[in-house]
Amino acid sequence: MDAIKKTLKDSAAIRWLVLVIISMFMFGTYWFQDFMSGLKGLMMSELGINSSQFGLIISSTTWANMVGMIMVGGIILDKWGIRVAGVVFGIVASLGASITAMATYGVFGDDPGTMMKFMMAGRMLFGIGLESICVIVTRTTVKWFKGYELALAMAINVAFGRFGTAFGTAFSVEIGGGHVAPAVAFAASLIGFGFILFLAYLIFDIRLDKQVNANKKEGGEPEEDFKFSDLVKLATNKGFIYITLLCVAFYSAVFPFIQYAPDLLVNKFGFTYQLPDLSSMTLFEKIGAIFHNGPKVTGLIPLGTILFTPIFGSIVDKKGKAASLMILGAFLLIFAHVSLSLFNSVTLGYLGLVSLGVAFALVPAAMWPSVAKIVAENRLGTAYSSMFTIQNWGLGLFFWGIGALLDFVNRADLAAIKAGEKMYDYTIPILTLVICGVISIFLAFMLLRADKQNKYGLELPSGVEAK
Ligand SMILES: NCCCC[C@H](NC(=O)[C@@H](N)CCCCN)C(=O)O
């Protein structure tokens, strides 16, 4: 048998270059998904929408995914590969983002109803691309990093997405110059940029496939093909069911919260949407103004996870304890939402945000590598797409539900709120998220129990098999 020849992925420099290129796609799509949170106040005054309609616009990214579009993405990925799937969903995301941007410029009509309809249609198309791109980029990361620094690569890949969320949330008001449309157009152009880089990546993908195929002909290991019966196997795997439900409960309490956090900070703690003129301020006054700005403070949550997710990821790799860390993350989530809803102390509010940030780094760092311990590698594409699909049911409900609940519990004061005479009371909408935290703890304990019964090895370091 001939010796297996070295391939492109055996070069660390090329591997990491590939990771940066494909991660820019995550940066752009996460930015577009989350940047509107910093614009909520502006959207309400400029487009004349209420909180419930804002919730609908945000929620529309999940609608097509709720009825199985991510599964279609997963199947296209498994059947036709990274290149076809990447190009198809890159076009879908870019088209969706462009329609949203054109709608905000009034291209389809400048009455609020038409604008909203086309913004939702655009975001729905974009949402199909967003989730499938996340699966495709994850699959591509596995393709290049399996057998090398996979956990770190996945953490860095998610970190690019978090940068997108952080910067999009924090700077969209300034990027738009106080208007919605330019901020949307900028966000859409980032997706186009990420897509162009992805097209450049295809050169590496084609070269690697040629080398791997040549090795296969010379005696390398053939890959096992995906079968549709794998879906049934997933649906009957207890560990997979618990981790999927945990994914819904946990992320429903985090991603939707981030969409409303700037508005919560403005309404509850008197933070600002727009930074005051910093030029004549001392350094301390500048820091004070930044820590009193809703979008900037919210942007610090995903920014913090960029540092902590790889740290927690390497703890999970070296020490294990993934299920226990998910339990801890769920407790932190409850503390965060209780302190941000029931109390009026700004200090406790900051502590709540820090606690949410730690949970947001901890749970993904423990959850995503655990899926690979529960599910066989040839089913990972399907596993991630199924998890994202079910996750979107929760996200769709809470993205819209928080806004709708906000309008409902404040229904007596809506006119005064619009006139700027009163502020929204966020207590009940945020308290609802505590329920997600309680469900998360229950599911994390069930996962721990299933791990003991089925010996997935979730509590063991990476590479150590359970006996
Ligand atoms: N290796 C898998 C990484 C998944 C990271 C995870 N992403 C999601 O849950 C997606 N459904 C994308 C959602 C994007 C919303 N801003 C994450 O923690 O981001």
Side-chain angles (χ1 to χ4, degrees), residues 80-101:
W80 288 289
I82 288 168
R83 296 196 283 274
V84 174
V87 171
V88 168
F89 290 100
I91 292 173
V92 172
S94 308
L95 194 67
S98 311
I99 291 174
T100 314

Side-chain angles (χ1 to χ4, degrees), residues 26 29-30 33-34 70 130-131 134 138 154 157-158 162 165 247 251 255 259 360 364 368-369 384 387-388 391-392 395 399:
M26 293 276 279
T29 49
Y30 272 53
Q33 162 77 342
D34 295 321
I70 314 174
L130 157 81
E131 292 290 355
C134 191
T138 302
M154 276 195 177
N157 176 236
V158 171
R162 300 281 184 258
T165 299
C247 169
Y251 278 105
F255 284 146
Q259 295 288 346
F360 192 26
W368 299 112
Y384 285 129
M387 284 179 83
F388 286 180
Q391 179 200 49
N392 269 253
L395 294 185
F399 279 147

Side-chain angles (χ1 to χ4, degrees), residues 128-451:
I128 299 173
L130 157 81
E131 292 290 355
S132 292
I133 286 166
C134 191
V135 178
I136 293 161
V137 170
T138 302
R139 189 74 191 87
T140 312
T141 309
V142 175
K143 177 173 180 171
W144 285 82
F145 282 86
K146 198 179 161 216
Y148 294 101
E149 313 83 352
L150 183 60
L152 182 63
M154 276 195 177
I156 291 176
N157 176 236
V158 171
F160 270 80
R162 300 281 184 258
F163 265 124
T165 299
F167 292 158
T169 304
F171 298 116
S172 285
V173 174
E174 287 81 5
I175 288 169
H179 294 285
V180 176
V184 184
F186 180 82
S189 66
L190 286 179
I191 297 180
F193 178 63
F195 185 36
I196 291 169
L197 284 184
F198 183 80
L199 293 177
Y201 156 75
L202 297 186
I203 300 166
F204 294 92
D205 197 83
I206 293 169
R207 291 267 322 260
L208 178 64
D209 277 0
K210 273 192 189 146
Q211 293 173 336
V212 171
N213 285 337
N215 273 341
K216 270 187 201 157
K217 279 186 205 129
E218 289 173 21
E221 286 284 308
E223 273 185 24
E224 204 187 322
D225 269 345
F226 164 83
K227 292 181 287 309
F228 281 95
S229 60
D230 290 342
L231 262 180
V232 181
K233 287 191 187 138
L234 271 183
T236 51
N237 179 333
K238 248 191 191 176
F240 181 71
I241 294 170
Y242 291 138
I243 205 162
T244 302
L245 294 178
L246 176 60
C247 169
V248 188
F250 178 79
Y251 278 105
S252 293
V254 177
F255 284 146
F257 171 78
I258 290 179
Q259 295 288 346
Y260 290 89
D263 200 54
L264 161 85
L265 296 175
V266 169
N267 280 271
K268 186 173 174 108
F269 298 117
F271 282 31
T272 58
Y273 257 119
Q274 233 151 341
L275 274 182
D277 180 13
L278 301 179
S279 54
S280 56
M281 290 185 184
T282 64
L283 181 64
F284 282 115
E285 284 169 343
K286 279 182 186 146
I287 294 172
I290 289 169
F291 275 88
H292 211 68
N293 178 267
K296 305 279 177 296
V297 171
T298 304
L300 291 177
I301 305 173
L303 213 55
T305 67
I306 293 166
L307 179 67
F308 288 110
T309 306
I311 294 175
F312 292 141
S314 87
I315 292 175
V316 171
D317 272 343
K318 289 187 187 124
K319 306 255 181 251
K321 301 280 172 223
S324 308
L325 290 175
M326 287 186 241
I327 296 172
L328 176 63
F331 272 112
L332 289 171
L333 189 65
I334 294 181
F335 171 78
H337 290 317
V338 168
S339 59
L340 284 157
S341 57
L342 289 183
F343 301 93
N344 287 319
S345 146
V346 181
T347 314
L348 204 54
Y350 280 128
L351 279 178
L353 291 176
V354 170
S355 163
L356 186 102
V358 175
F360 192 26
L362 198 54
V363 175
M367 177 184 285
W368 299 112
S370 295
V371 180
K373 289 186 174 182
I374 296 173
V375 176
E377 200 194 324
N378 69 320
R379 284 185 218 129
L380 271 183
T382 319
Y384 285 129
S385 1
S386 323
M387 284 179 83
F388 286 180
T389 299
I390 299 169
Q391 179 200 49
N392 269 253
W393 297 346
L395 294 185
L397 178 69
F398 281 91
F399 279 147
W400 162 77
I402 296 179
L405 197 55
L406 195 60
D407 276 343
F408 179 74
V409 294
N410 290 279
R411 61 194 177 284
D413 297 322
L414 283 181
I417 292 170
K418 204 168 179 190
E421 291 151 12
K422 276 197 163 183
M423 293 305 218
Y424 273 119
D425 180 355
Y426 262 92
T427 310
I428 304 287
I430 302 303
L431 211 48
T432 313
L433 301 179
V434 175
I435 300 169
C436 294
V438 174
I439 297 173
S440 299
I441 289 183
F442 170 73
L443 290 164
F445 272 111
M446 294 303 281
L447 185 63
L448 187 65
R449 205 175 69 162
D451 177 47

